[in-house]
């Protein structure tokens, strides 16, 4: 990921926040012929000091579900268009449009698993996390043969993280007056824009 120094973040609490906001990631691998493969997947994330624990699963027919080895995981944060018309120095500095955003790229290795007990545990924990977020009450029932048979349709993975890049592009390369004006304009926008505005004000 192209990350100018002004936008680089090395605080893992920022990664915690990105996962807490949206744990639906993009997982990128390469096929045997070198062609890129990408999947959008929910994951479970946990951090113990500097140790990151990430788990998820694929549908078994997904070509990526046969992959062990190197992978890139993209964690998506808020993002918003920034109009050059919002900058106080828009004319003298010949400002142009841009986009502010937060994201993280994690590089590491995938370890697949498909034993029933591990898959049952993963599905139970995943459903508990995401059901709680929507106020639902569905639970995986390991004693229900119908639910247990459906485990045959998935493959689990553990993602062993080897490198973390976190990027917050929040107009840090602009004068304070520009940053303030952009944050004010974004505050009147949609949810993503308001989140970016709050992040910009937090570092002002």
């Amino acid at each position: 990921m192209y990350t100018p120094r002004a936008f680089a973040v090395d605080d893992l609490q920022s990664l915690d926040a990105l996962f807490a906001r949206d744990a639906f990631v993009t997982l990128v691998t390469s096929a045997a012929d070198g062609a890129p493969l990408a999947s959008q997947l929910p994951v479970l994330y946990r951090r113990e000091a500097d140790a990151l624990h990430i788990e998820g699963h694929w549908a078994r027919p997904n070509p990526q579900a046969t992959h062990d080895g190197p992978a890139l995981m993209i964690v998506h944060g808020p993002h918003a268009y920034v109009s050059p018309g919002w900058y106080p120095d828009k004319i003298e500095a010949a400002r142009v449009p841009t986009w502010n955003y937060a994201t993280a790229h994690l590089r590491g290795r995938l370890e697949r698993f498909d034993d029933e007990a591990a898959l049952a545990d993963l599905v139970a924990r995943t459903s508990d996390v995401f059901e709680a977020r929507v106020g639902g009450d569905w639970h995986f029932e390991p004693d229900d043969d119908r639910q247990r048979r459906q485990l045959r349709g998935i493959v689990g993975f553990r993602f062993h993280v080897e490198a973390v890049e976190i990027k917050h592009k929040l107009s840090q390369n602009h004068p304070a007056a520009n940053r303030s004006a952009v944050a004010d304009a974004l505050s009147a926008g949609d949810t993503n824009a308001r989140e970016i505005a709050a992040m910009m004000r937090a570092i002002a």
Side-chain angles (χ1 to χ4, degrees), residues 53-71:
H53 304 274
I54 302 175
E55 305 166 275
H57 69 274
W58 299 280
R60 188 172 290 274
N62 185 335
Q64 203 174 56
T66 64
H67 183 82
D68 273 311

Side-chain angles (χ1 to χ4, degrees), residues 2 8 61 94 125 155 185 199:
Y2 170 59
R125 287 185 291 115
V155 176
M199 292 179 73

Side-chain angles (χ1 to χ4, degrees), residues 14-38:
S14 296
L15 182 63
D16 299 343
L18 287 175
F19 271 108
R21 176 191 180 275
D22 188 355
F24 194 67
V25 304
T26 300
L27 184 64
V28 183
T29 60
S30 295
D33 63 0
L37 296 172

